[in-house]
Amino acid sequence: MPGLSKQIAVYVKVFLLTFALWFGSVIALYAQEDDIRCRWVTTKLDTFQLDTLSILPASLQIKTPAQSNLTLNYDLNTGQVILIGEASVDSIEICYRVLPFDLAKRRYHRDPLRYDSLERYSDELYRFPTPFVRPREEIFKLEGLQKSGNLTRGISAGNNQSAFVNSSLNLQIEGQLSDEISILANISDQDVPFQPEGNTLQLQEFDRVFVQLSHRLGSMTVGDVVLKHKENYFLKYYKNVQGGILDAKYTIGEKSKANTSVGFAVAKGKFASISVPPLEGVQGPYRLTGPNGERFIIILANSEKVYIDGKLMTRGFNYDYVIDYNLAEIIFNTNIQITQFTRIRIDFEYSEQNYTRTIFTGSHYQNFKKLDFFFNIHRASDNPRNPIIRLSDEDRLLLSNAGDGLGLVNGVDSVGFRSDAVLYEQRDTLTVEGVLYENIWVYSTNPNLAIYQVSFTEVRANQGDYVRLNNTINGQVYAWQAPINGVSQGNFIARRIVPTPTQQQLMTAGIAYNLSESDRVYLEGGISSQDNNRFSDLSNADNQGQAFKVGYLNEGKALPFGKELFWSSHLSFEHNTRFFRPIDRFRSIEFNRDWSIQTDTNRIADNILNLEGGLRKNQLNFAQYRFTYRKRGEEADGWQQDLHLKKELGKFILSYDMFLLRNVQDSIRSDWKRFGADIGYRIGGSQVGYRFMQDKNQVLVPQLDSVIQTAMNFDQHQLYFQTSDTNKVKLSMDFSLREDNQPREGRLVRSLYSQNANLRLEARPNANQQIALTMTYRRLENTLDSIPKNNENNLMGRLDWNANFWEKHVRSELSFATLTGRELQREFVFLQVQTGVGTHTWRDDNQDGVQDLEEFYLAINPDERQYIKVFVPTDKYIEAFINNFSYRLNWQSPRNWQTK
């Protein structure tokens, strides 16, 4: 404590001073006579100073005259000698001994005379140093380093908690430690990882804690680091981890350069990629789940990649979406319109606290003259010997016999009867068909039989024998459903799912020979190993897989007859064995969809031949063509053609896109035609145009010439107008008509007719104000007679007004948005606590001994307060019309105060 430390410091100083005086007196007693100093002084002065050093009071005496009625008094604080008595002579001789220092000298760390209590202290002397001014004191005194950050101390209190002190430190350091070594550090005492709000484009730097040392030969980073893949084809990953990375760049000989890096870390989470089912006109929130259906997960900050119709979106309140990392919920802003045809795909990492997961990465890249070669390794492994979750010996035995299947363990625990818990009894049930089912769990309140607590896990429909009941009981109750014709009728099982420890490894190596500055041939290969259950040695035959890719690449070469035209080409062949498994996705997000493959979980050998070429002058004049042949077992045997053209003709801008697919899948065939044409005309700084889009996909049975399904089938016409981005008022408008088709009785018929209108306006009345308006209107009509008429009208919009006043010392930000969204359905239970601490009481109104939700009441008397109301998480939503209003006012003190 500061007060105690000051008192201790005073006691230490007094002790040292007393010891010095005592020690000096002892020295005076045993010192030689030649250590004595003598001075003649006049008796006309009552007070005088004998020496510049402090005098030992015991050694002070009058030597001449030997007999005198005068006495001497010495003041240690001032170093002055006081003469007492009447003198009979005009001068006297005084002898004394001194200490090697002056006790009366004023000592201080900061001169208090430079401070004025009536005026603000100025730093001018520190801005212009002089030999008479000491350098400023710093908490972290490091020469040549720039430091910034904040130190927070606070006191929090509430009506349901005691007062407590909280603190946080965020410190950023950057600069040179020596002539060749620089440092970049971010230090924080907050809990790591710190989960920020997911409503901004960039996350603040203190969301990571790390130290990075840089040298001309490489760098070393320790702390919260990001492991990212380097340039290669098969090995792709992006991991937020805690560990260290060592990267070295050096030369071997005179003509060879190399780059080697090694990383070792503890993973914060696992990678997942899911498709989110959209709802017509609903912007969110949409709940993200784990790859195995895990609910209520936590997303690692800045790990998500959100794709809408194959396009990467940007996070931020003023961009495409916002995300709540703790709730794993995403909401799309008004500039992104969600319909029933929107394709939402999200890659992310989620927190998993089941096993300690370590990651090791290593890479080496080197070139020698025209030859380049590399090697990469990535290994992520769970530790089965020391799991974080609780596993019994019985659970380990069940997991060891599960192979690569789902880790299901016993979900039943005998806890004895409790009136405030949902318990079950075990029964044997005989159905009306005469089939006997044993060990069925039935909800019960019988004190003699209801002694089991059962954990139920949700599975797919018709994969379980239990269903959840909607009742008023204080807790969730599940009931058994008898199978029909051997088919289960529920979606819950009386088991507990335990994630199994996994191990994933991928090694890649490649070599390339540069024929010229723009031409090269290359070969790359990879060996993967994936064990989905390290507890079990079963099903390990499918752990190993291989892949390779060989090709020729021309990145761009000028044509001999036209210096402004460049042609490029690429020829490659890729082969993946049946059990090859990448770390993360290494192809485009919609690669399999463009082949009419619904899922990529099937393990089938893959062969891909790709040929592409193009001509380019600039961004408004180019042509690109690609042809691809793919053979993937019975899932794919066909070809793709892709063409992109764009041409500038005076004030006209023409563009054309075409995609063709013919793919044979076992007994069915998929045909896909996508066309897009755009004609734009520039008027001054604006552009008006017409755009036509056609997407015709059909999956049919060739023998019957019957269409059985379609991924997308529509025609769309659009008119648009937009001004230049340099205009003071920017305006963008478009109106589109679209007709969608669905298969009915083997043929495609029109099912939906929609109209869309969009308006975007941005204006700057002056340099200090900005207004932005976005509005979207959508009308949807069902045209099939078999579907009940359920026409929808949806309107959403957003208004933003930002302003600065008084030379930007005051900032005003206003935002208002209206949209169709969803609200989370809330469920609750009552938990018993210590008497007097709770808020509710239970009264058994129907005298059945069962705690119903309607039987809990707010307690008035303290002795009745035995229960609290706790909301339990759910993943059920109800649609709601949402209005969001946000206003923020920021005031900053005048900047010229800094110089006062």
Side-chain angles (χ1 to χ4, degrees), residues 665-693:
Q665 301 172 312
D666 196 9
S667 59
I668 60 176
R669 189 185 76 215
S670 176
D671 294 333
W672 205 331
K673 301 176 182 178
R674 289 203 299 256
F675 297 97
D678 191 323
I679 302 176
Y681 183 77
R682 289 178 293 193
I683 306 175
S686 304
Q687 181 175 330
V688 61
Y690 164 76
R691 183 180 295 117
F692 172 74
M693 297 178 61

Side-chain angles (χ1 to χ4, degrees), residues 76-78 102-114 134:
L76 281 171
N77 294 324
T78 61
D102 184 9
L103 293 175
K105 183 179 179 181
R106 297 175 65 251
R107 289 175 172 83
Y108 46 81
H109 187 61
R110 292 179 178 177
D111 189 357
L113 299 179
R114 296 188 64 252
R134 290 185 178 182

